[in-house]
Amino acid sequence: MSVEELIDDEELLEAEDVSEADGEDGGVLYEHFRIEVDRGQVPLRIDKYLSEHMPHQTRNRIQQAADAGFIQVGGRPVKSNYKVRAGDVITLMLDRPHFDTTIEPEDIPLDVRYEDDDLMVIYKPAGMVVHPGCGNFHGTLVHAIAWHLRNLPSYDPNDPQVGLVHRIDKDTSGLLVVAKTPEAKSNLGKQFFNHDTHRSYVALVWGNFVEDEGRIEGNIGRDPKDRLRMAVFPPDSETGKPAVTHYRVLERYGYTTLVECRLETGRTHQIRAHMKHIGHPLFADERYGGTEILRGERTASYKAYIQNCFKLCPRQVLHARTLGFRHPRTGEQMDFTSDLPEDMQALIDKWRGYFKTRQNELS
């Protein structure tokens, strides 16, 4: 089991200070995680214990790490059936140190839609990673922002008190706000937390809605069956975080629907998970089942048409179109709108043409 297989997204392991030790084969191992078992802990299998203390790792992956000799107790590798005891010091030892995620400015084009002394509003294209993580340590949006603000002495791209106030997924396009000062980030952060901001997205989803608008409420947390996907849990459960999405139908194409989504909350994959939950996955969203042909005909020509659609816009069809907030210093209402990107507009035009042709054939 390689390091890349164990750690392949930025949220999987919250590592502490890295130390090093010798592995059984003489190679150097580096400490990525350490925990001391509390007093009073009853004997418990180590894979079960760690799955409860490493919430972003599945029990199966912890077992694989133990089988590979990466999990140690008292400096010695143990198997997944080892039973922890009070006072045990458990470490996760991997065969390379953490990648240095210090942000250095990189000369990457940045689409700035608005800028003043306190903030910037920028447009992120689909395909661009926002923050560095495993496999994406360079070429991210924060590297581009660091270059753009490289001559601003007060802006440190490694200072969490400044920078991006919110995120969107790699394959989602649209607007984001960047705080240049700690005061601006604190103020904007409170607006997002209190749901005082206005954000709307445009999405193409599978299926036709009975109603013209609706509300989706359900806690969002990591899917226990797939740690790279989010799942929806009952609002009154203790699993996940509360999330509310409002949607409104913009256009209907028979087998797909163009909708506007407005967020009350901003959870990871919120729109993608909520739409999947109500039976309308985003078109071309591979992680949530949107690359299957979920509606339509069984003909070879229709299947070919859908495959052409996927090629035209090979990503989840989701765009952060509007962003509104109060200026953190002046209190002025700031509202921004961005046009649909070319790939998404071309796909929508293709569906419009298809739906019009189909209506004419049926009339």
Side-chain angles (χ1 to χ4, degrees):
M1 182 180 188
S2 68
V3 176
E4 289 80 3
E5 290 173 322
L6 184 63
I7 307 176
D8 56 5
D9 83 14
E10 60 187 320
E11 295 182 85
L12 292 186
L13 292 176
E14 306 231 349
E16 300 179 5
D17 294 337
V18 177
S19 60
E20 60 180 69
D22 290 332
E24 289 185 342
D25 61 357
V28 175
L29 295 179
Y30 299 87
E31 181 181 307
H32 283 241
F33 180 85
R34 170 185 289 262
I35 187 170
E36 182 174 349
V37 180
D38 293 336
R39 296 179 182 177
Q41 172 67 51
V42 298
L44 183 68
R45 283 179 58 113
I46 196 167
D47 55 348
K48 188 174 190 303
Y49 178 83
L50 286 179
S51 67
E52 295 173 353
H53 289 81
M54 301 172 73
H56 298 306
Q57 288 288 3
T58 65
R59 188 171 177 179
N60 181 59
R61 292 175 74 82
I62 291 170
Q63 290 170 348
Q64 291 176 341
D67 291 342
F70 290 153
I71 294 178
Q72 299 184 1
V73 174
R76 294 187 177 185
V78 297
K79 297 301 182 182
S80 56
N81 62 354
Y82 172 85
K83 292 189 176 181
V84 303
R85 300 171 179 82
D88 277 351
V89 176
I90 305 170
T91 54
L92 172 66
M93 307 295 292
L94 299 179
D95 52 11
R96 76 174 188 182
H98 277 293
F99 194 95
D100 183 5
T101 55
T102 301
I103 304 299
E104 297 291 343
E106 296 180 20
D107 188 2
I108 301 169
L110 191 65
D111 187 349
V112 180
R113 301 297 175 91
Y114 173 84
E115 183 173 9
D116 61 26
D117 292 339
D118 302 289
L119 59 88
M120 292 193 304
V121 173
I122 56 180
Y123 176 88
K124 187 193 83 68
M128 189 177 200
V129 176
V130 173
H131 283 273
C134 191
N136 296 287
F137 297 113
H138 298 285
T140 73
L141 186 63
V142 295
H143 288 96
I145 294 169
W147 178 269
H148 183 82
L149 299 177
R150 65 192 183 281
N151 296 321
L152 184 63
S154 61
Y155 187 84
D156 178 359
N158 297 289
D159 183 355
Q161 296 186 87
V162 294
L164 282 163
V165 182
H166 58 124
R167 305 183 185 189
I168 55 178
D169 297 334
K170 171 188 174 183
D171 289 327
T172 299
S173 55
L175 298 172
L176 292 164
V177 61
V178 179
K180 291 185 176 182
T181 68
E183 294 78 15
K185 188 165 186 181
S186 176
N187 183 286
L188 290 166
K190 288 179 182 178
Q191 291 186 50
F192 275 85
F193 181 80
N194 294 325
H195 315 315
D196 293 331
T197 57
H198 305 283
R199 288 177 290 166
S200 70
Y201 292 69
V202 174
L204 183 70
V205 303
W206 278 105
N208 195 6
F209 288 83
V210 175
E211 62 285 340
D212 290 330
E213 57 185 30
R215 180 179 186 271
I216 310 168
E217 182 176 5
N219 290 8
I220 291 182
R222 195 159 303 268
D223 189 333
K225 298 180 181 179
D226 182 350
R227 62 191 176 72
L228 296 180
R229 189 170 65 184
M230 308 304 284
V232 180
F233 302 91
D236 57 353
S237 72
E238 296 182 356
T239 305
K241 296 180 180 179
V244 176
T245 302
H246 300 267
Y247 66 88
R248 178 172 65 91
V249 171
L250 299 176
E251 293 184 51
R252 301 174 186 270
Y253 309 125
Y255 303 135
T256 60
T257 305
L258 190 67
V259 296
E260 177 188 66
C261 296
R262 182 171 56 83
L263 301 182
E264 275 192 28
T265 53
R267 309 303 182 197
T268 301
H269 295 185
Q270 177 171 324
I271 293 173
R272 299 165 68 186
H274 268 172
M275 283 296 168
K276 165 77 172 179
H277 180 64
I278 64 171
H280 296 281
L282 268 62
F283 190 83
D285 188 349
E286 182 176 9
R287 184 159 292 168
Y288 289 87
T291 52
E292 302 292 328
I293 300 178
L294 301 177
R295 302 287 193 281
E297 305 164 13
R298 297 183 177 181
T299 63
S301 61
Y302 179 75
K303 292 179 180 178
Y305 166 78
I306 295 298
Q307 293 304 319
N308 287 332
C309 286
F310 289 153
K311 292 178 182 177
L312 193 60
C313 187
R315 63 178 180 95
Q316 69 255 15
V317 187
L318 183 63
H319 174 68
R321 182 167 65 175
T322 70
L323 174 63
F325 53 86
R326 295 187 313 278
H327 194 280
R329 183 169 47 83
T330 68
E332 176 188 358
Q333 180 64 34
M334 312 284 288
D335 293 294
F336 301 90
T337 301
S338 59
D339 294 333
L340 297 180
E342 290 183 4
D343 61 347
M344 191 167 167
Q345 186 62 60
L347 178 63
I348 291 170
D349 291 342
K350 190 174 182 69
W351 270 106
R352 283 175 180 155
Y354 177 87
F355 184 58
K356 183 177 180 180
T357 300
R358 186 166 172 269
Q359 283 186 312
N360 291 336
E361 290 174 349
L362 296 174
S363 62

